[in-house]
Amino acid sequence: MSESEPSMPANLYPAADEWQAVDRYFTSTLVGEDDALITARASGAETSMPNAEVSANQGAFLGLLAQMVGARRVLEFGTLAGYSTIWFARSVGEDGRVVTLELEADNAVIAETNFRTAAVADRIDTIVGPAAESVARLIDEGTEPFDLVFIDADKPSNSVYLAAALELTRSGAVIVIDNVVRNGAVADADSTDLRVQGVRQVVNDLASNPELDATALQTVGEKGWDGLIIARRR
Ligand code: DHB
Ligand code: MG
């Protein structure tokens, strides 16, 4: 979420009042955020990309997905304040591990404070630097495979991150990619927006890889109109 993109509002598409009310209804009934998550969300305002973290309902969804997969090891591209990281860390359990990659050292400091507040710091490795370099090191080191990968960093690099994810996973692994709707521009093949092209490129990669089953879900809610890709390795 934080690699060399011009700053722009994270919520590309304004959230309709009804979408916000419905998100609030489900957050307040089904999901809930404890103090640690509320603090993590609020501290997102201090990062280089304010308000880019997933909504509470989306965080709960990612956490449930990790549990459904039985994920013990999660890799995340793009930490920011660590909001989704905390959801994953809680889902992998005490013996699980989350490795999260963050470009900006200042963001990582904020995230690590949030991990301590959430009492999950001991199961999270935050690696600072360009994610492509960090992940190349993980591959070189022969890091144990991950069960779930969440790609939520600079959008032009989606393809690079997917390729790395494929080096670091095996059969059954799930790969989730955030922010794939781009205000609807994802359907425009002629878009000159590098973020749109970054999504379209990774969609091509997924579509042409016989090892991957994938779909995309559009979402509306407090973050506006957006969507996620979910893919699984055969
Ligand atoms: C953007 C990136 C994100 O990770 C996000 O959640 C919302 C927006 C962006 O690049 O615009
Ligand atoms: Mg995102």
Short mmCIF file of all heavy atoms in Angstrom, two decimals, residues 129-154:
data_model
loop_
_atom_site.label_atom_id
_atom_site.label_comp_id
_atom_site.label_asym_id
_atom_site.label_seq_id
_atom_site.Cartn_x
_atom_site.Cartn_y
_atom_site.Cartn_z
N GLY A 129 11.42 -2.14 3.69
CA GLY A 129 12.16 -1.96 2.42
C GLY A 129 11.24 -2.25 1.26
O GLY A 129 10.08 -2.64 1.45
N PRO A 130 11.75 -2.07 0.04
CA PRO A 130 10.93 -2.39 -1.13
C PRO A 130 10.51 -3.85 -1.09
O PRO A 130 11.36 -4.74 -0.93
CB PRO A 130 11.87 -2.11 -2.31
CG PRO A 130 12.90 -1.16 -1.76
CD PRO A 130 13.07 -1.52 -0.32
N ALA A 131 9.22 -4.10 -1.21
CA ALA A 131 8.71 -5.47 -1.00
C ALA A 131 9.32 -6.45 -1.99
O ALA A 131 9.56 -7.61 -1.65
CB ALA A 131 7.19 -5.47 -1.11
N ALA A 132 9.61 -5.99 -3.22
CA ALA A 132 10.18 -6.90 -4.22
C ALA A 132 11.55 -7.41 -3.75
O ALA A 132 11.89 -8.57 -3.96
CB ALA A 132 10.30 -6.21 -5.57
N GLU A 133 12.30 -6.53 -3.10
CA GLU A 133 13.61 -6.94 -2.58
C GLU A 133 13.46 -7.83 -1.35
O GLU A 133 14.16 -8.84 -1.20
CB GLU A 133 14.45 -5.71 -2.22
CG GLU A 133 14.87 -4.92 -3.45
CD GLU A 133 15.57 -3.61 -3.09
OE1 GLU A 133 16.06 -3.47 -1.94
OE2 GLU A 133 15.62 -2.72 -3.96
N SER A 134 12.55 -7.46 -0.48
CA SER A 134 12.35 -8.25 0.75
C SER A 134 11.93 -9.67 0.40
O SER A 134 12.40 -10.65 0.99
CB SER A 134 11.29 -7.60 1.63
OG SER A 134 11.66 -6.27 1.94
N VAL A 135 11.05 -9.78 -0.55
CA VAL A 135 10.51 -11.09 -0.88
C VAL A 135 11.56 -11.91 -1.65
O VAL A 135 11.62 -13.14 -1.49
CB VAL A 135 9.17 -10.92 -1.63
CG1 VAL A 135 9.35 -10.73 -3.10
CG2 VAL A 135 8.23 -12.03 -1.32
N ALA A 136 12.41 -11.24 -2.43
CA ALA A 136 13.49 -11.96 -3.11
C ALA A 136 14.43 -12.58 -2.07
O ALA A 136 14.91 -13.70 -2.25
CB ALA A 136 14.25 -11.01 -4.03
N ARG A 137 14.64 -11.85 -0.99
CA ARG A 137 15.49 -12.40 0.09
C ARG A 137 14.83 -13.62 0.73
O ARG A 137 15.48 -14.62 1.00
CB ARG A 137 15.79 -11.33 1.15
CG ARG A 137 17.08 -10.57 0.89
CD ARG A 137 17.59 -9.87 2.15
NE ARG A 137 16.55 -9.16 2.87
CZ ARG A 137 16.10 -7.95 2.54
NH1 ARG A 137 16.61 -7.30 1.50
NH2 ARG A 137 15.16 -7.38 3.25
N LEU A 138 13.52 -13.52 0.97
CA LEU A 138 12.80 -14.66 1.56
C LEU A 138 12.93 -15.89 0.66
O LEU A 138 13.12 -17.01 1.15
CB LEU A 138 11.32 -14.32 1.76
CG LEU A 138 10.98 -13.28 2.82
CD1 LEU A 138 9.48 -13.01 2.82
CD2 LEU A 138 11.44 -13.73 4.20
N ILE A 139 12.85 -15.68 -0.65
CA ILE A 139 12.96 -16.79 -1.60
C ILE A 139 14.38 -17.37 -1.54
O ILE A 139 14.56 -18.59 -1.44
CB ILE A 139 12.59 -16.33 -3.03
CG1 ILE A 139 11.11 -15.97 -3.09
CG2 ILE A 139 12.93 -17.40 -4.06
CD1 ILE A 139 10.68 -15.19 -4.34
N ASP A 140 15.38 -16.50 -1.56
CA ASP A 140 16.79 -16.93 -1.48
C ASP A 140 17.06 -17.73 -0.21
O ASP A 140 17.82 -18.69 -0.23
CB ASP A 140 17.73 -15.72 -1.48
CG ASP A 140 17.92 -15.17 -2.87
OD1 ASP A 140 17.46 -15.82 -3.83
OD2 ASP A 140 18.51 -14.08 -3.00
N GLU A 141 16.45 -17.29 0.88
CA GLU A 141 16.69 -17.94 2.17
C GLU A 141 15.96 -19.27 2.29
O GLU A 141 16.13 -19.98 3.27
CB GLU A 141 16.21 -17.02 3.31
CG GLU A 141 17.07 -15.79 3.51
CD GLU A 141 16.38 -14.72 4.37
OE1 GLU A 141 15.25 -14.98 4.86
OE2 GLU A 141 16.98 -13.64 4.53
N GLY A 142 15.13 -19.58 1.29
CA GLY A 142 14.37 -20.83 1.36
C GLY A 142 13.34 -20.83 2.48
O GLY A 142 13.09 -21.84 3.12
N THR A 143 12.73 -19.67 2.68
CA THR A 143 11.69 -19.53 3.72
C THR A 143 10.60 -20.58 3.55
O THR A 143 10.20 -20.90 2.44
CB THR A 143 11.05 -18.12 3.60
OG1 THR A 143 12.09 -17.17 3.71
CG2 THR A 143 10.03 -17.88 4.68
N GLU A 144 10.13 -21.08 4.67
CA GLU A 144 9.02 -22.05 4.70
C GLU A 144 7.83 -21.49 3.91
O GLU A 144 7.54 -20.29 4.01
CB GLU A 144 8.61 -22.21 6.16
CG GLU A 144 8.21 -23.59 6.59
CD GLU A 144 7.78 -23.52 8.05
OE1 GLU A 144 8.60 -23.11 8.90
OE2 GLU A 144 6.61 -23.86 8.32
N PRO A 145 7.11 -22.32 3.17
CA PRO A 145 6.01 -21.80 2.35
C PRO A 145 4.89 -21.16 3.19
O PRO A 145 4.69 -21.51 4.35
CB PRO A 145 5.46 -23.05 1.65
CG PRO A 145 6.47 -24.10 1.82
CD PRO A 145 7.32 -23.76 2.99
N PHE A 146 4.18 -20.27 2.55
CA PHE A 146 3.04 -19.61 3.18
C PHE A 146 1.73 -20.26 2.73
O PHE A 146 1.64 -20.78 1.62
CB PHE A 146 3.03 -18.12 2.82
CG PHE A 146 4.20 -17.38 3.40
CD1 PHE A 146 5.38 -17.21 2.67
CD2 PHE A 146 4.15 -16.87 4.70
CE1 PHE A 146 6.47 -16.54 3.22
CE2 PHE A 146 5.23 -16.20 5.25
CZ PHE A 146 6.40 -16.04 4.50
N ASP A 147 0.74 -20.20 3.60
CA ASP A 147 -0.58 -20.77 3.30
C ASP A 147 -1.52 -19.75 2.68
O ASP A 147 -2.46 -20.10 1.97
CB ASP A 147 -1.21 -21.30 4.59
CG ASP A 147 -0.27 -22.23 5.33
OD1 ASP A 147 0.14 -23.24 4.74
OD2 ASP A 147 0.08 -21.92 6.50
N LEU A 148 -1.27 -18.48 2.98
CA LEU A 148 -2.12 -17.40 2.45
C LEU A 148 -1.23 -16.19 2.20
O LEU A 148 -0.37 -15.86 3.03
CB LEU A 148 -3.23 -17.07 3.45
CG LEU A 148 -4.33 -16.10 2.97
CD1 LEU A 148 -5.65 -16.39 3.68
CD2 LEU A 148 -3.95 -14.64 3.19
N VAL A 149 -1.46 -15.54 1.08
CA VAL A 149 -0.71 -14.33 0.73
C VAL A 149 -1.72 -13.22 0.45
O VAL A 149 -2.68 -13.42 -0.30
CB VAL A 149 0.18 -14.55 -0.51
CG1 VAL A 149 0.93 -13.27 -0.88
CG2 VAL A 149 1.16 -15.71 -0.28
N PHE A 150 -1.51 -12.07 1.06
CA PHE A 150 -2.38 -10.91 0.85
C PHE A 150 -1.55 -9.82 0.15
O PHE A 150 -0.58 -9.31 0.73
CB PHE A 150 -2.92 -10.40 2.18
CG PHE A 150 -3.89 -9.24 2.07
CD1 PHE A 150 -4.92 -9.23 1.13
CD2 PHE A 150 -3.79 -8.16 2.95
CE1 PHE A 150 -5.81 -8.17 1.04
CE2 PHE A 150 -4.67 -7.09 2.87
CZ PHE A 150 -5.69 -7.11 1.91
N ILE A 151 -1.92 -9.51 -1.08
CA ILE A 151 -1.19 -8.51 -1.86
C ILE A 151 -1.95 -7.20 -1.78
O ILE A 151 -3.05 -7.06 -2.35
CB ILE A 151 -1.01 -8.98 -3.32
CG1 ILE A 151 -0.18 -10.28 -3.34
CG2 ILE A 151 -0.33 -7.89 -4.16
CD1 ILE A 151 -0.02 -10.90 -4.74
N ASP A 152 -1.38 -6.23 -1.08
CA ASP A 152 -2.08 -4.98 -0.77
C ASP A 152 -1.07 -3.83 -0.72
O ASP A 152 -1.09 -3.02 0.19
CB ASP A 152 -2.81 -5.15 0.57
CG ASP A 152 -3.74 -3.98 0.87
OD1 ASP A 152 -4.14 -3.27 -0.07
OD2 ASP A 152 -4.05 -3.78 2.06
N ALA A 153 -0.17 -3.82 -1.69
CA ALA A 153 0.88 -2.79 -1.70
C ALA A 153 0.73 -1.92 -2.94
O ALA A 153 -0.39 -1.68 -3.39
CB ALA A 153 2.24 -3.46 -1.62
N ASP A 154 1.82 -1.43 -3.48
CA ASP A 154 1.75 -0.58 -4.68
C ASP A 154 1.21 -1.40 -5.85
O ASP A 154 1.73 -2.46 -6.18
CB ASP A 154 3.11 0.02 -4.99
CG ASP A 154 4.18 -1.05 -5.14
OD1 ASP A 154 4.29 -1.89 -4.24
OD2 ASP A 154 4.84 -1.07 -6.19
#
